[in-house]
Amino acid sequence: MKKDFPILERKINGHDFVYLDSAATSQKPRQVIEAMNDYYTNYNANVHRGVYKISEEASEKYDDARSKVKNFINASSEQEIIYTKGTTESINLVMRSWGEKFIKKGDKIVTTIMEHHSNFVPWQQLASKTGAIFEVVGINKNYELDESELERKIKGAKLVAVTHASNVLGTINPVEKICKIAHDNDAVVLVDGAQSIPHFPVDVRKIDCDFFAFSGHKMLGPTGIGVLYGKKELLESMDPFNYGGDMISEVHVDKSEWNKLPYKFEAGTPPIAEVIGLGAAISYLEKIGMKKIREHEKELTNYAIEMLSKIKNCKIIGSVDVDKRLGAITFDIAGIHPHDLASLLNEKGIAIRTGHHCAMPLHEYLKLNATARASFYIYNEKKDVDALVDSINYAKKIFGVK
Ligand code: C6P
C-alpha cells in the first residue's frame, strides 16, 4: 500500500522518510491526487450553474462525493451533510448558527479537558458572551473521561461538546453512552470526529449524536474540505452561517429566503477539487475497509507501546489498552526537551509532532509544558516503530540522558 503514497518514497536527510505525524495531517494516495488533477485538467467548471458538458461532469462528481460521505458515516440523508473547510469551521458553524440562537444566559455547556482548542475555545467564548455556564469534565488516572463527573455535569446541560478521540491521549470516548445520558437530559451533543473518522468505522445514527464534525485532510483527502453532519430538524432550525450565492432560494430588495439543506449552509463557490478529492479518499478507505484499518493500527499501536515502554525514562501519556485508544502516542523522555528530540529525529528522516498539540488546557491539567507525539496510519509499518525507537535511543546518547 505504501507505494500508493508518492511522498513516502522521498529520502529525508539521506534516510528513508518515516512519517509519524498523521494525526496532524495524513499523506495522500495517488488516487486522491489524480482525482483532483483530473478535475483541473479535464472538467474544471463551476458546479450547479452551467448547462454545458464539463459543468455537468463537475456537478455529477461533486454530488457523488456527498453521497459517498453520507454512506460512509451512515447519515439518513445527503441534506444532513454540510461541506465546510474542516473540523474547526464545522464546530464554529454550530457555535454561530445553533449556539448564538439557542444558548441563553444561565444555560449549561459541557465539554472536556481533553478537547482540541477547536472544540473548546468556541464554547468558552460563547459562554462568556452569553453568560452561559461553562463546565469542563476531567480525566481519571487511565486518561479516560471521569464518568461520574461527566454524568453529574451533564445534568441540566443544554449542549455537550465532546471529542470522539483525543489527539493527545489517543483515548476513544464512549460517545454512544454520552449521547444517551445527554439526550435523557434533553441536551444536544456535538461530537468532534477529527481523529476518529480516519481510523475506525463511524455510524452517526448508531452514536445518535446531533452534530458530528470532521476534516478531509486527516483521512487521506485534501486540506480545505471538511464536513458537518447534523440531524435534519436541527439544521432546519438554525440560521445560515454565511450569506451569498447558492445559499438563497430568492433575493428581493427587502428580503431573502434560504435555499434548502444542505445548500443553506454552503454560500459561494465551493472547493470543488477538494470535494472530489474527499470522495476519492473515501473510496480508497472503503476499498481497504475501516475495520481492517483499525486492526492494522491496533497491532502497530500495541507494538509501539511495547517498544517505547522498554526505553528507560520514557513515559507514555495515555492508556496502554489498545482497545480503548488510537495510534496517536504522546510521550515524554525525561531530560530531553520534545523540540530537541524532534530535531534529532528529523536528522534521521523521522517526522513527529511536538508542543501542546492545540490542547493547552489538557497540558495544564497534566502539568506538562510540551510533549512529543508519534501517530500512525494505514501506511506505517513495524519498521517505522523500530526506526523511532532506535532514534530515541540515539538521542538519549547524544544528550547524555540515562
Ligand atoms: N488536530 C493535530 O496535530 P482542523 O485543523 O480543523 O482540520 O482540525 C482541528 C482538530 C479538531 N479536533 C481534533 C481532535 C483535532 O485533532 C484537530 C486537529 C491536529 O492534532 C492539528 S492541530
Side-chain angles (χ1 to χ4, degrees), residues 21 23-25 85-89 91 116 118-119 163 165-167 192 194-195 215 217-218 353 357-358 373:
D21 198 17
T25 196
K85 283 201 286 233
T87 310
T88 304
E89 192 177 68
I91 296 171
H116 185 277
S118 292
N119 200 27
T163 192
S166 159
N167 66 324
D192 172 353
Q195 294 292 346
S215 304
H217 71 95
K218 293 185 203 287
R353 186 173 172 186
H357 317 291
C358 300
R373 184 188 69 188

Side-chain angles (χ1 to χ4, degrees), residues 12-13 55 61 101 121 229 258 364:
I12 303 282
N13 298 322
S55 176
K61 283 269 172 40
K101 186 167 181 185
V121 183
Y229 157 82
W258 314 138
E364 267 176 21

